[in-house]
Amino acid sequence: MSHHLAGPPPGLLPMLAGGNGVPANPDDYLFEPKLDGQRVIATIGPAGVTLTNRRGGEITATYPEVADLARVLAPHQVVLDGEMVAFNERGQSSFQRLQRRMHVAEPSPALVAQTPASFVVFDVLWLDGELLVERSQVERRRVLDRLAIKGPAWQTAPVLVASPEELMAAGRRLGLEGFMAKRRDAPYLVGGRSPAWWKMKIGRRREFVVGGWSSGQGSRQTSIGSLSLGCYDVAVSQAGPPQRLFYVGQAGSGLNEEMIRQLLQLFAQIQVPAAPFVNPPRLPLHWVQPVLVVEIAYIEVTEAGTLRQPSIKGLRTDLIASEVVFDDDLVDRFVSR
């Protein structure tokens, strides 16, 4: 059933993903990259472009680079759903980088030039008088592809033809955040959370060296609140430069009572008065010899060189601390310093 309207419907709110992980029957889904940015609905017509955020608040002035999209899409009037993103040097969407833009109501031309944002479109909700939300994902995607949205500050998210296993493997290799799975036959649930859309998050996992710890809060003051994590810049070699341990953040999520008990016993034997890091944080921490290794899951390395949302997966007694060295993700953040 289609609804014919005189002008674009005001204030449509975006549909949100209700599933996490890989759906059971992947053949029933379309796959797209998961973008790490700000969700935006764009209403485009003769009066120009109006952008609203996930809650319906207007943010048009925040992203002046998409103003020209109305001229490019004319004579069409359209309501699009997508994500405002800032790409890093590797072409990955960086939420950290977008932070410089998304809280600035009217950015200066200098800021826009220094940190450009792009509108990546993945759905069309209304077009030239017709509300499309009751049409299937596949039908809406066909309509979107016909609009051929591609330009200096806007593009259409690709549909990826691969199995979930292939996508996740490629995503890990490329350092992507994850993918979206969208059921082919599903309508668009305006302003609702729908099980028709799934977030397939990759996340990253690797080992880090423990160089210190913070006391817990409240009743856990005699306990461990978080671990101070680090990584060496180079592998041990007799001829090469000495290793330097770089601080990459605190992780407390994932600590359980058994691990805390084990760590407190170990820390009592390896405590030291000074920080083992070349860039110690200005925090009230207890320092230890950098001999313990932990496995950490995290989303990304921020531009400040700290781990975003780290979670402790366990101690790695099978690894030697001096062999825990930078990967590409971390080298990018520290080598330039």
Side-chain angles (χ1 to χ4, degrees):
M1 177 170 94
S2 64
H3 303 254
H4 287 274
L5 302 171
L12 290 177
L13 295 177
M15 167 169 159
L16 304 175
N20 272 302
V22 179
N25 40 346
D27 289 350
D28 295 344
Y29 291 77
L30 295 179
F31 296 101
E32 298 169 6
K34 184 180 183 309
L35 300 158
D36 202 5
Q38 181 178 20
R39 190 70 176 278
V40 166
I41 299 286
T43 302
I44 296 164
V49 176
T50 302
L51 306 177
T52 53
N53 64 20
R54 190 164 140 167
R55 295 188 312 278
E58 193 180 330
I59 53 167
T60 308
T62 303
Y63 301 111
E65 49 262 83
V66 297
D68 215 27
L69 193 50
R71 182 187 61 77
V72 171
L73 287 174
H76 292 300
Q77 297 185 58
V78 63
V79 179
L80 302 168
D81 183 6
E83 197 100 4
M84 221 61 213
V85 301
F87 292 111
N88 64 17
E89 305 81 13
R90 291 191 189 175
Q92 301 156 334
S93 56
S94 167
F95 189 68
Q96 172 88 7
R97 186 165 286 204
L98 190 70
Q99 296 281 298
R100 299 175 196 163
R101 290 292 306 278
M102 66 186 280
H103 305 301
V104 181
E106 293 187 19
S108 66
L111 179 60
V112 172
Q114 184 191 0
T115 309
S118 288
F119 183 40
V120 183
V121 185
F122 48 70
D123 217 320
V124 55
L125 313 186
W126 181 93
L127 178 65
D128 298 333
E130 189 175 357
L131 193 61
L132 306 174
V133 296
E134 289 172 19
R135 292 206 200 176
S136 70
Q137 182 76 41
V138 168
E139 286 180 76
R140 295 195 315 278
R141 184 69 208 204
R142 276 194 209 110
V143 173
L144 178 61
D145 287 342
R146 281 201 295 273
L147 289 171
I149 295 167
K150 184 166 174 47
W154 47 83
Q155 57 181 274
T156 306
V159 169
L160 305 166
V161 183
S163 70
E165 295 73 30
E166 289 166 331
L167 289 174
M168 296 302 254
R172 274 188 204 94
R173 202 168 59 245
L174 298 168
L176 303 178
E177 197 204 350
F179 301 91
M180 295 296 297
K182 300 179 174 180
R183 214 177 69 226
R184 292 168 179 271
D185 63 354
Y188 188 97
L189 183 62
V190 174
R193 195 172 284 282
S194 168
W197 284 9
W198 288 60
K199 284 182 192 174
M200 294 163 45
K201 279 198 170 182
I202 296 169
R204 300 172 201 184
R205 279 180 86 127
R206 57 156 295 164
E207 318 78 48
F208 290 93
V209 179
V210 179
W213 56 284
S214 72
S215 302
Q217 299 291 318
S219 62
R220 280 180 61 181
Q221 278 175 1
T222 55
S223 180
I224 297 169
S226 64
L227 304 180
S228 312
L229 305 175
C231 197
Y232 284 104
D233 56 344
V234 289
V236 176
S237 79
Q238 267 141 3
Q243 287 190 307
R244 296 178 302 166
L245 185 66
F246 282 80
Y247 175 80
V248 297
Q250 295 291 127
S253 172
L255 277 174
N256 55 44
E257 292 309 315
E258 187 186 340
M259 204 186 301
I260 288 169
R261 197 169 60 246
Q262 196 180 1
L263 286 169
L264 283 172
Q265 288 176 349
L266 292 165
F267 289 166
Q269 300 162 42
I270 59 172
Q271 57 190 342
V272 289
F277 304 108
V278 294
N279 59 335
R282 293 197 186 105
L283 296 169
L285 299 170
H286 311 275
W287 307 116
V288 295
Q289 292 170 31
V291 293
L292 298 176
V293 179
V294 285
E295 175 100 5
I296 300 288
Y298 62 101
I299 289 178
E300 66 172 333
V301 183
T302 70
E303 296 197 357
T306 55
L307 306 181
R308 183 161 160 229
Q309 293 180 25
S311 171
I312 301 160
K313 296 300 170 190
L315 270 169
R316 289 293 301 265
T317 51
D318 57 330
L319 295 174
I320 298 165
S322 61
E323 292 174 0
V324 176
V325 296
F326 283 168
D327 54 19
D328 291 348
D329 242 353
L330 287 154
V331 161
D332 283 0
R333 297 290 176 248
F334 289 102
V335 155
S336 59
R337 298 183 182 189

